[in-house]
Amino acid sequence: MVLYNVTIGIDIDVEEEWLNWMKSTHIPAVMDTGIFVEYKIFKVLSHEQEQSVSYSVQYFAHTVDKVVEYLDNHAPKLVEEHRARYKDKHVAFRTLLEEV
């Protein structure tokens, strides 16, 4: 199993709207690609700052090749939609992990 983790720091003033959009629009669009078999979303409790909060969005795939397929064929459009919607209100870091 492979985990594609996206950690997002989002400004508190848009947190609720962003979380609703992630759950209703963005994550379903990622899952509709057929690449990932499961996802989870967690709020990072140990890293709150005054003006932002962090979330970990975890997408699970069977192989690294499936994640590469996502990154090559689907991610550019979906990442751009997120970037355009939340311009200066977020930062994102991506990590690929393999279960051992």
Side-chain angles (χ1 to χ4, degrees), residues 63-99:
T63 66
V64 171
D65 289 342
K66 294 299 277 181
V67 178
V68 170
E69 179 184 339
Y70 170 77
L71 294 172
D72 289 346
N73 300 319
H74 305 282
K77 176 181 179 276
L78 294 166
V79 169
E80 178 55 27
E81 288 172 359
H82 185 276
R83 190 207 59 77
R85 187 174 181 98
Y86 296 100
K87 298 176 192 155
D88 300 326
K89 298 285 187 177
H90 83 286
V91 294
F93 304 94
R94 292 159 182 85
T95 310
L96 186 58
L97 301 104
E98 183 176 43
E99 184 176 22

Side-chain angles (χ1 to χ4, degrees), residues 53-65:
V53 63
S54 295
Y55 286 84
S56 169
V57 184
Q58 302 175 349
Y59 300 101
F60 297 87
H62 289 295
T63 66
V64 171
D65 289 342

Side-chain angles (χ1 to χ4, degrees), residues 33-34 36 49 63 86:
T33 66
F36 300 103
Q49 299 175 352
T63 66
Y86 296 100

Side-chain angles (χ1 to χ4, degrees), residues 10-59:
I10 191 77
D11 287 2
I12 289 175
D13 64 334
V14 296
E15 177 187 9
E16 186 176 335
E17 189 274 332
W18 172 84
L19 189 56
N20 288 333
W21 180 79
M22 287 293 289
K23 289 180 176 180
S24 68
T25 304
H26 185 77
I27 292 172
V30 172
M31 295 306 291
D32 283 348
T33 66
I35 299 294
F36 300 103
V37 296
E38 182 183 2
Y39 79 90
K40 296 181 182 206
I41 185 168
F42 292 89
K43 185 174 185 176
V44 178
L45 299 178
S46 62
H47 194 263
E48 280 195 47
Q49 299 175 352
E50 285 184 29
Q51 297 176 349
S52 69
V53 63
S54 295
Y55 286 84
S56 169
V57 184
Q58 302 175 349
Y59 300 101

